[in-house]
């Protein structure tokens, strides 16, 4: 027990440059408090004291702002940075050396009994606000960008970002993962509107080019811009067709 807590404290120093002293980590890090409480609640859960496990977990949530179901399985050196709003479901399985930032949800997508929460491999890092949903597998060393919504498996070592999340290629990995800020594929309404306008403009240009090519095939000479504009008059096109 004490060996595991010592490892947890060491993992805080390794992953949070703001940590200064062991006393500070022991007294001021809710992620560490939640991990220690989960060890107790998980033991109670495994030994059939499920109500007591849930009630103790409920108290720990009130203290830390982190909700970890007693049935969840968590490996060694697990680190939750900041922690507020983290939710970990009953059938979630977490490997060693995993890091979660605040607002992360390891949730389910079904009310059916059985495995319904994610499995995280060793060394996974999940950015702030990300939602990893369903009985999916996140491979060892994978990174999930902030605010991503992951509903499919992510290969080991990959970086996934966006809504819904998709695996980024090598050229985008360096900018795709962000532990705190917006990921590169957020549903920004302004950006979506601009992309829509640009796409529409390209489509219109392609159609105009096609019309010009057809006019040239029909023997129409396009002398200048004004002549081209005149030829797009509906009455002019009707005359050509007639």
């Amino acid at each position: 027990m004490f060996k595991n807590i010592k490892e947890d404290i060491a993992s805080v120093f390794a992953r949070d440059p703001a940590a200064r002293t062991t006393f500070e980590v022991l007294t001021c890090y809710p992620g560490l408090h939640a991990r220690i409480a989960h060890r107790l609640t998980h033991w109670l859960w495994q030994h059939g004291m499920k109500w007591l496990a849930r009630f103790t977990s409920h108290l720990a949530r009130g203290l830390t702002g982190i909700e970890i179901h007693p049935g969840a399985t968590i490996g060694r050196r697990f680190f939750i940075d900041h922690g507020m709003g983290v939710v970990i479901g009953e059938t979630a399985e977490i490997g060693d050396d995993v890091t979660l930032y605040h607002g992360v949800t390891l949730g389910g997508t079904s009310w059916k009994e059985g495995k319904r929460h994610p499995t995280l491999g060793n060394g996974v890092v999940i950015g702030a606000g990300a939602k990893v949903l369903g009985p999916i597998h996140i491979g060892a060393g994978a990174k999930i960008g902030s605010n991503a919504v992951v509903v499919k498996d992510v290969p080991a070592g990959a970086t996934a970002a966006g809504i819904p999340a998709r695996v980024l290629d090598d050229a985008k990995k360096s900018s795709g993962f962000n532990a705190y800020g917006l990921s590169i594929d957020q549903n920004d309404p302004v950006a979506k509107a601009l992309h829509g306008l640009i796409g529409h403009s390209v489509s219109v240009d392609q159609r105009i080019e096609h019309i010009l090519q057809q006019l040239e095939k029909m023997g129409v000479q396009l002398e200048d811009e004004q002549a081209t504009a005149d030829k797009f008059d509906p009455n002019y096109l009707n005359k050509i067709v007639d």
Side-chain angles (χ1 to χ4, degrees):
M1 179 69 173
F2 291 105
K3 179 182 177 181
N4 291 330
I5 294 176
K6 186 176 180 180
E7 279 189 341
D8 292 337
I9 295 172
S11 71
V12 173
F13 283 110
R15 293 178 238 177
D16 186 2
R20 288 183 292 271
T21 67
T22 299
F23 182 74
E24 178 187 31
V25 171
L26 281 171
T27 56
C28 301
Y29 275 71
L32 178 64
H33 303 156
R35 182 67 183 104
I36 294 172
H38 177 263
R39 285 198 175 93
L40 172 60
T41 62
H42 187 64
W43 185 90
L44 294 172
W45 185 267
Q46 288 183 317
H47 288 78
M49 293 176 278
K50 298 191 183 303
W51 177 86
L52 184 58
R54 288 300 304 272
F55 184 70
T56 306
S57 175
H58 177 69
L59 295 178
R61 181 183 65 171
L63 175 66
T64 65
I66 298 168
E67 181 176 342
I68 307 177
H69 193 285
T73 301
I74 299 177
R76 297 168 61 183
R77 297 176 296 277
F78 177 56
F79 177 52
I80 302 176
D81 199 1
H82 301 295
M84 181 61 70
V86 168
V87 177
I88 300 175
E90 177 186 2
T91 61
E93 299 175 59
I94 299 174
D96 297 336
D97 302 299
V98 170
T99 301
L100 307 184
Y101 287 84
H102 52 280
V104 168
T105 297
L106 304 182
T109 57
S110 170
W111 291 346
K112 295 180 180 179
E113 294 184 0
K115 177 65 173 173
R116 59 190 185 278
H117 298 98
T119 297
L120 310 185
N122 296 339
V124 169
V125 180
I126 302 183
K131 316 301 177 189
V132 185
L133 307 175
I136 60 176
H137 186 269
I138 310 300
K143 294 180 174 62
I144 308 300
S146 61
N147 297 312
V149 177
V150 186
V151 293
K152 295 182 180 179
D153 291 351
V154 176
T159 297
I163 304 174
R166 65 176 185 272
V167 175
L168 306 179
D169 57 36
D170 292 337
K172 295 180 180 179
K173 279 185 181 181
S174 60
S175 61
F177 174 74
N178 192 323
Y180 292 104
L182 293 174
S183 68
I184 62 172
D185 192 30
Q186 289 298 312
N187 288 336
D188 184 342
V190 176
K192 291 180 70 177
L194 290 174
H195 291 163
L197 289 172
I198 293 171
H200 179 69
S201 176
V202 172
S203 177
V204 169
D205 288 344
Q206 291 174 342
R207 292 182 180 183
I208 290 175
E209 181 64 26
H210 177 71
I211 291 173
L212 293 177
Q213 291 175 358
Q214 295 302 314
L215 289 174
E216 289 179 355
K217 289 179 181 180
M218 297 171 64
V220 177
Q221 298 297 322
L222 305 177
E223 294 84 1
D224 53 36
E225 293 182 1
Q226 183 59 46
T228 300
D230 292 340
K231 290 177 176 59
F232 280 105
D233 179 74
N235 295 328
Y236 181 84
L237 293 176
N238 289 334
K239 293 177 182 178
I240 295 176
V241 174
D242 294 339

